[in-house]
Amino acid sequence: MDLPINTVEEAVFMAKVAEQAERYEDMLTFLKPVIKKSGELAMEERNLVSVAYKNISGNKRTAWRALTAIDENPKYTKHHDKTNSYKTKIEEELKKICKDAITAIDSSLLNNASTAEAKVFYMKMKADYNRYMGEVCTGAELEEVSQNALKNYEDAKKAASTLQPTDPVRLGLALNFSVFQYEIRKNPKEACSMAKAAFDEAISGLQDLDEDKYKDSTAIMQLLKDNLTLWTSEIGEGEEGEAKQQKPQVLTI
């Protein structure tokens, strides 16, 4: 895209324009100078970067799930070679954007973060993009990204101990870490334990929050509660406490 950007202000403005147009690849391109600038990103800049990466990767994850369903449908067996090749193409695209996000975090975003909240935000983000790769990887590659994600989540959890239990970033971390345990690590009991602990720790502090934080925190707590209800039901219906083979739709942010 040949559209020169001369200042951070221009980059942020054009990123907002691209977001309104739902052109998320362009949005990320506009934000590259912001990511690479010296110093910490402002909250607005940080959120724009997160939105760009999340929507690009989210579209590819959705496409991969749709292709997987088609590829596994016996009705389309004769087209397996083509659909499988197409799915592999989407996998590589997803891995590429995930690695790009991780590189951005490692090269500048995390190092420039000055607050505990910002550090946890980027640590969680790094863990999430390793988790997204884990959704499409197998074998040794899956083990590698799974271990990376586990370390990222654990580091973020340790750093989040200085935040209030009601903090939306801390709650979002607990939500996504529990989903990682359920979906990637295949550990539903640990997923339930994490989700319940985060919910219980936050519930008593809600009355002290202002209106905006109250809305953000309670929205994430509802997702924790919904997942916990779903997972508890699945465990109860499985044999000897194991979750059923068919995965339900879980909720993350």
Side-chain angles (χ1 to χ4, degrees):
M1 182 175 56
D2 186 16
L3 189 60
I5 297 295
N6 298 314
T7 66
V8 168
E9 182 182 2
E10 283 184 354
V12 169
F13 175 77
M14 289 308 299
K16 292 178 181 178
V17 172
E19 181 184 13
Q20 290 297 310
E22 298 185 2
R23 298 270 298 181
Y24 299 108
E25 288 84 359
D26 292 345
M27 184 181 179
L28 182 58
T29 299
F30 288 130
L31 287 168
K32 285 297 185 177
V34 179
I35 293 171
K36 294 176 181 177
K37 75 173 186 175
S38 60
E40 186 170 13
L41 266 60
M43 179 73 75
E44 180 183 49
E45 296 167 347
R46 187 183 83 180
N47 289 340
L48 287 169
V49 170
S50 177
V51 166
Y53 277 118
K54 187 68 178 287
N55 278 278
I56 296 170
S57 61
N59 288 339
K60 297 184 188 304
R61 293 167 71 207
T62 299
W64 183 85
R65 286 192 289 266
L67 285 166
T68 297
I70 293 169
D71 195 40
E72 294 176 352
N73 191 327
K75 187 165 61 173
Y76 305 119
T77 300
K78 68 178 182 179
H79 301 295
H80 172 75
D81 289 345
K82 294 296 184 184
T83 57
N84 191 59
S85 294
Y86 192 27
K87 186 176 76 168
T88 300
K89 177 179 182 294
I90 301 299
E91 288 174 3
E92 294 307 313
E93 291 179 359
L94 176 58
K95 292 175 189 176
K96 182 178 179 181
I97 192 64
C98 288
K99 290 175 182 177
D100 188 80
I102 292 168
T103 298
I105 294 165
D106 284 340
S107 63
S108 60
L109 298 177
L110 182 55
N111 290 335
N112 291 331
S114 63
T115 67
E117 188 264 356
K119 291 179 186 296
V120 173
F121 181 92
Y122 291 125
M123 289 177 180
K124 169 191 167 293
M125 186 175 170
K126 184 177 178 180
D128 288 341
Y129 284 93
N130 273 304
R131 172 166 61 87
Y132 299 159
M133 285 193 284
E135 293 174 352
V136 303
C137 291
T138 58
E141 191 176 18
L142 171 58
E143 181 61 24
E144 180 182 359
V145 296
S146 176
Q147 287 297 327
N148 289 341
L150 180 61
K151 183 180 186 306
N152 299 153
Y153 279 128
E154 288 178 338
D155 289 346
K157 184 178 180 181
K158 186 180 299 183
S161 63
T162 61
L163 303 178
Q164 292 297 317
T166 52
D167 186 278
V169 172
R170 176 169 168 170
L171 284 169
L173 168 64
L175 175 68
N176 288 12
F177 196 177
S178 64
V179 168
F180 167 77
Q181 291 288 358
Y182 184 86
E183 289 197 329
I184 305 299
R185 303 291 287 185
K186 310 299 183 187
N187 192 344
K189 290 185 178 181
E190 182 63 22
C192 288
S193 176
M194 282 186 174
K196 185 177 187 305
F199 185 92
D200 291 346
E201 288 170 4
I203 195 73
S204 61
L206 289 176
Q207 70 274 10
D208 299 325
L209 299 180
D210 60 36
E211 184 177 354
D212 288 340
K213 276 207 168 183
Y214 181 87
K215 288 179 180 178
D216 291 342
S217 297
T218 53
I220 300 171
M221 290 174 69
Q222 184 62 52
L223 298 178
L224 283 165
K225 185 177 180 181
D226 290 345
N227 281 349
L228 187 57
T229 300
L230 194 60
W231 295 338
T232 302
S233 173
E234 289 293 317
I235 292 172
E237 292 175 4
E239 293 182 0
E240 297 180 358
E242 294 297 325
K244 295 197 306 184
Q245 290 297 313
Q246 183 179 3
K247 291 197 303 182
Q249 180 64 45
V250 297
L251 305 169
T252 63
I253 57 170

